Amino acid sequence: KLSRCEDGYVKIQGIYIYYKVCKAENEKAKLMTLHGGPGMSHDYLLSLTDLAEKGITVLFYDQFGCGRSEEPEKEKFTIDYGVEEAEAVKKNIFGDDKVFLMGSSYGGALALAYAVKYQAHLKGLIISGGLSSVPLTVKEMQRLIDELPEKYRNAIRKYGEVGDYQNPEYQEAVNYFYHQHLLRSEDWPPEVLKSLEYAEERNVYRTMNGPNEFTITGTIRDWDITDKIGIISVPTLITVGEFDEVTQNVAEVIHSKIDNSQLIVFKACSHLTMWEDRDEYNRILLQFIEKNI
Ligand code: LEU
């Protein structure tokens, strides 16, 4: 399936960044993808390679300090740096062609920040489980924690307060939350596990995000560009899972600010909709891309 994919490294701002591009035979459009975390890797987005069979050339890369890419100095661990990196990767692989840009979760935040500055380079924007405000996302996640069964809610409060993130009871609660709001399936695909392993191994996730998905105590904790995204005028598709850890309320704020946007809620899905409802997710993306070529 991955036979028409090629991979390699591009040097961006002095460090080697790993990319993979899956070329469509009769290319109708180009799609660049941004993974989340911050600090995961492109692997968990590989379900989107299905689109290469439908005429969409798909580009993945591991962002700075993530997966197989090199790490810059700590001062560069910022969203602004990520935007310039995305622009440089796009330019290296796709040149001056206008592309579609898809971002998942933090990648969605990054895609919004990219579009605020570089929407002239885009044909369209796809935000999946994305956000324009970390504080709002955190507030919403607190609500999801409040709604957990008492046992897990109490464990998250008790051990979370003292930062005992490795406590087995806390870990059990994390695991429960993840199976409700991150990926609602028993068996997680190796691509997803790979990205989670990289998040643990490397420094970006701990530094920028925090100890886990719902404890965002890292450097992005106050980030909010809700007031800026109103200038985005390219066609925008926003997707969110019914049980998404980055909730429907967060998606609706983005939708309300971007006039040229549509919001699609995937029933019975959570954050990693691209796996939970793979065919339908890719079908919706393809439809959006074909409409806006
Ligand atoms: N950890 C999330 C992600 O998967 C991002 C967070 C800001 C909600 O990218």
Side-chain angles (χ1 to χ4, degrees):
K1 197 172 231 166
L2 295 178
S3 57
R4 277 200 302 278
C5 299
E6 34 180 85
D7 63 351
Y9 288 86
V10 281
K11 203 168 189 183
I12 306 288
Q13 312 201 43
I15 61 170
Y16 284 104
I17 296 295
Y18 175 85
Y19 73 92
K20 177 178 276 176
V21 60
C22 300
K23 291 201 171 119
E25 230 165 79
N26 295 305
E27 184 186 281
K28 293 185 257 185
K30 296 178 164 76
L31 173 68
M32 175 158 107
T33 65
L34 301 175
H35 66 74
M40 303 227 172
S41 67
H42 81 282
D43 300 80
Y44 85 91
L45 295 179
L46 284 170
S47 59
L48 276 80
T49 51
D50 296 356
L51 292 168
E53 311 291 320
K54 310 274 187 203
I56 315 297
T57 291
V58 191
L59 168 64
F60 306 92
Y61 71 94
D62 290 342
Q63 294 159 26
F64 66 82
C66 300
R68 306 147 188 85
S69 291
E70 287 187 323
E71 185 177 298
E73 308 84 85
K74 281 259 160 69
E75 309 83 73
K76 292 188 176 162
F77 284 22
T78 66
I79 297 187
D80 288 345
Y81 181 88
V83 166
E84 299 313 321
E85 177 183 85
E87 174 59 6
V89 170
K90 183 225 162 250
K91 187 106 186 160
N92 257 276
I93 310 292
F94 287 152
D96 292 327
D97 291 352
K98 284 195 182 190
V99 303
F100 288 87
L101 180 64
M102 176 271 182
S104 149
S105 196
Y106 163 75
L110 184 58
L112 288 169
Y114 178 95
V116 165
K117 187 161 179 190
Y118 292 118
Q119 63 176 322
H121 303 177
L122 297 180
K123 283 192 171 169
L125 185 60
I126 300 158
I127 307 292
S128 293
L131 52 134
S132 62
S133 165
V134 176
L136 174 64
T137 303
V138 167
K139 195 173 140 212
E140 285 287 293
M141 284 174 166
Q142 284 309 315
R143 181 172 61 78
L144 296 180
I145 291 167
D146 289 343
E147 290 166 7
L148 291 178
E150 200 180 351
K151 171 180 162 195
Y152 300 123
R153 180 173 72 228
N154 289 343
I156 287 173
R157 294 229 178 94
K158 182 171 163 197
Y159 301 107
E161 258 165 43
V162 294
D164 188 4
Y165 303 119
Q166 300 312 319
N167 189 288
E169 280 175 44
Y170 184 85
Q171 285 293 326
E172 198 192 332
V174 170
N175 194 45
Y176 183 85
F177 182 97
Y178 281 14
H179 282 82
Q180 294 293 317
H181 302 299
L182 181 60
L183 177 49
R184 291 171 85 88
S185 96
E186 279 305 312
D187 297 312
W188 285 12
E191 292 89 339
V192 171
L193 296 174
K194 185 91 203 154
S195 287
L196 289 169
E197 273 166 34
Y198 273 130
E200 286 283 320
E201 260 172 48
R202 311 282 318 262
N203 296 314
V204 171
Y205 188 80
R206 227 171 305 118
T207 307
M208 293 181 74
N209 189 79
N212 57 53
E213 288 291 282
F214 53 78
T215 313
I216 309 177
T217 48
T219 54
I220 62 163
R221 64 182 175 269
D222 300 321
W223 186 84
D224 191 331
I225 58 162
T226 308
D227 289 347
K228 297 192 180 139
I229 61 175
I231 68 157
I232 297 173
S233 59
V234 291
T236 300
L237 169 68
I238 303 158
T239 75
V240 65
E242 181 183 1
F243 302 103
D244 208 314
E245 61 172 21
V246 181
T247 67
Q248 206 173 311
N249 288 336
V250 176
E252 261 156 24
V253 167
I254 303 171
H255 181 42
S256 72
K257 296 283 176 186
I258 303 179
D259 287 341
N260 198 5
S261 69
Q262 67 182 110
L263 171 61
I264 294 192
V265 181
F266 283 81
K267 289 277 169 247
C269 291
S270 64
H271 200 44
L272 301 184
T273 310
M274 62 292 285
W275 295 99
E276 292 164 329
D277 202 356
R278 181 172 180 160
D279 291 346
E280 181 62 5
Y281 178 82
N282 284 326
R283 193 186 68 77
I284 295 282
L285 259 58
L286 183 64
Q287 201 179 47
F288 171 78
I289 291 170
E290 285 179 336
K291 207 175 101 194
N292 295 294
I293 283 170

